[in-house]
Amino acid sequence: MKRYLILFIVLLLALPVYAQKKLTLDEAISIALQKNTLLIKSKNNLLSSESQLKNAYGSLLPSLGASAGWSWNRIYDKGGQQVFYGGIALPTQPSVADNRSYSVGVGGSVTLFNGLANYATISERKDNLKASEYNISKLKQNIVFTTTDYFYIVLNAEELMNVREENVKYFKRLYETVQERNRLGSVTLADVYSSQVQLGNAELLLIQTQNIYESSKAALLNYLSLNVLEDYSLVDPFAAKKTLDTDSYMKDFNDIQAMVNAALDNRFDYKSSQLNLSAAESGVTIAKSGLFPSLSGNYSYGTSAVTTSDLFNRKVLNVSLSLSVPIFSNFSTENQIQFAQVNALNAREDLNALERQIKIEIKQTYLDLVAAKKSLDVASKNVSAAEETRKINQERYNLGSATILDVLQASRDYQDALRNKINAGYDFYRQHDKLNNAIGRLEFSKYE
């Protein structure tokens, strides 16, 4: 017997053990900021913007290039007659002549003036680069909010699942109690059937809630680019808080105008839109440069010879200026100016539209947060009332002064109150984070 026991223990230890992985909210946000596809692509595109700015600075510098050449040709002459002055004709012999030449040189050019287009291009590229950086920062804030929202949805579903599990246990106890009382003859068989049906409904609701929990968790893992087949357990960041102090969350949201001003100062997408307008105005300057003359300088230094040993016996140094004055460009310059001005007008309108959107977003989200707070306060009171009602009806049923339907209805009311409180609590958290994101206060650097 002892040998069998030892063998069983060895086999049990040999079985693979798949430990459930813990996942905190901070870890989830950090993973999202590392693996988000859109963020990775945006960072890659930022390299192109940096390269374009470098190229714009390079247009101020002189260009320099080196060249080298070699040529060879052979002339075949089959001979004949050559007539000289006076009509004298002399025969010529067949001949073959080889010619070779070598050349080496350096040269380049520099733009001295082009209507300030080169400086405007630098300003435009700098604005575009900074705007791209702001867009990435805004994307990171959105990732923090989206990850948090996914996380809350899973926690919400998990708490609802726990409520359903407690509900199944409650109706199991009730069913067993009703069965026993029916056996003693104190209640009818109809009460047994009613409690049995309610137990079955509770078990079905539990299965449905479990499916919702697993689906929401899979959605979170997919957003984080994690393996959805692995078993993760989320760590509740609010587990240490016994009660939710909504007033402490509301202390930073007293003045809507102050929140709007903070958003216009903090939001990265608004700063990006401002830079887009500045870049568009630089584009107008670039287009207008076509109305001005352009001046460029050219320079070269070279040598050529028929043999390599004589290459530097004859050297040529050349410096020149080239002035180009636009007189008529078939209206192409006017078209470019008009196109750039339209872009600037559209960029300004985009900025104004974004400002209006920010105001609406903050006002609406603030009202949603206030409504969520009131909903949570009411739901909390309803839970206490529904719990007390269920206890009273349970005691009355035990004493025979209430029916099984009174107990079942009170239990359903209590379950509804619990679910409403859980949903209201997480909705308050979501609206709070949404408002912070609308103001531009969501922190992301600590998760990177």
Side-chain angles (χ1 to χ4, degrees), residues 14-307:
L15 291 175
V17 178
Y18 297 96
Q20 195 175 46
K21 297 182 179 180
K22 299 289 186 179
L23 182 64
T24 66
L25 178 58
D26 289 354
E27 291 172 345
I29 295 174
S30 179
I31 293 172
L33 290 174
Q34 293 174 12
K35 296 188 176 183
N36 185 270
T37 300
L38 184 58
L39 180 58
I40 293 174
K41 289 182 178 180
S42 299
K43 289 181 178 179
N44 293 338
N45 293 335
L46 190 64
L47 298 176
S48 299
S49 299
E50 293 174 349
S51 178
Q52 291 176 355
L53 177 59
K54 184 178 180 180
N55 177 254
Y57 276 112
S59 66
L60 299 178
L61 303 176
S63 64
L64 182 64
S67 63
W70 171 80
S71 66
W72 169 85
N73 64 72
R74 174 173 289 179
I75 301 175
Y76 293 91
D77 191 346
K78 65 179 182 179
Q81 287 186 341
Q82 186 174 4
V83 179
F84 293 94
Y85 180 76
I88 301 175
L90 295 176
T92 58
Q93 300 297 321
S95 62
V96 177
D98 286 344
N99 294 313
R100 292 179 174 82
S101 65
Y102 304 88
S103 64
V104 177
V106 294
S109 63
V110 59
T111 300
L112 301 176
F113 180 77
N114 64 349
L116 302 179
N118 45 5
Y119 293 98
T121 301
I122 292 175
S123 178
E124 180 189 47
R125 301 283 172 80
K126 288 174 66 176
D127 290 338
N128 288 336
L129 176 59
K130 193 63 179 178
S132 297
E133 293 175 348
Y134 282 144
N135 287 334
I136 289 177
S137 297
K138 179 55 180 174
L139 178 57
K140 290 179 179 179
Q141 286 184 327
N142 291 339
I143 289 173
V144 172
F145 172 72
T146 304
T147 304
T148 304
D149 193 47
Y150 272 116
F151 206 89
Y152 288 165
I153 291 174
V154 178
L155 293 177
N156 193 350
E158 185 177 15
E159 286 202 28
L160 292 177
M161 184 178 64
N162 294 335
V163 169
R164 293 297 188 187
E165 289 176 350
E166 291 298 323
N167 193 37
V168 169
K169 294 178 182 178
Y170 172 80
F171 281 112
K172 278 184 179 179
R173 293 192 300 267
L174 178 63
Y175 176 61
E176 293 170 356
T177 301
V178 173
Q179 273 187 318
E180 182 63 23
R181 294 185 65 187
N182 174 257
R183 188 180 65 83
L184 297 175
S186 59
V187 297
T188 64
L189 189 60
D191 287 2
V192 178
Y193 290 150
S194 297
S195 60
Q196 185 180 25
V197 170
Q198 194 63 35
L199 174 59
N201 291 335
E203 291 173 340
L204 178 59
L205 291 174
L206 173 59
I207 294 173
Q208 293 174 347
T209 310
Q210 288 172 338
N211 290 339
I212 294 174
Y213 167 69
E214 292 297 336
S215 298
S216 59
K217 186 165 66 170
L220 170 63
L221 297 179
N222 180 62
Y223 183 74
L224 300 180
S225 300
L226 297 176
N227 187 359
V228 297
L229 299 180
E230 294 184 359
D231 190 13
Y232 284 88
S233 175
L234 304 192
V235 178
D236 188 354
F238 311 113
K241 298 180 181 178
K242 295 182 180 180
T243 58
L244 174 57
D245 183 10
T246 54
D247 293 333
S248 64
Y249 282 83
M250 300 293 294
K251 62 182 180 180
D252 295 329
F253 309 116
N254 295 324
D255 187 352
I256 293 182
Q257 185 59 52
M259 288 188 287
V260 170
N261 295 336
L264 297 180
D265 290 336
N266 298 331
R267 282 187 57 150
F268 292 109
D269 54 344
Y270 187 76
K271 293 180 180 180
S272 176
S273 186
Q274 288 177 318
L275 290 174
N276 287 337
L277 174 59
S278 177
E281 292 172 345
S282 297
V284 175
T285 303
I286 295 172
K288 287 183 177 180
S289 66
L291 301 174
F292 298 95
S294 61
L295 179 64
S296 61
N298 302 284
Y299 41 87
S300 63
Y301 171 79
T303 178
S304 61
V306 296
T307 61

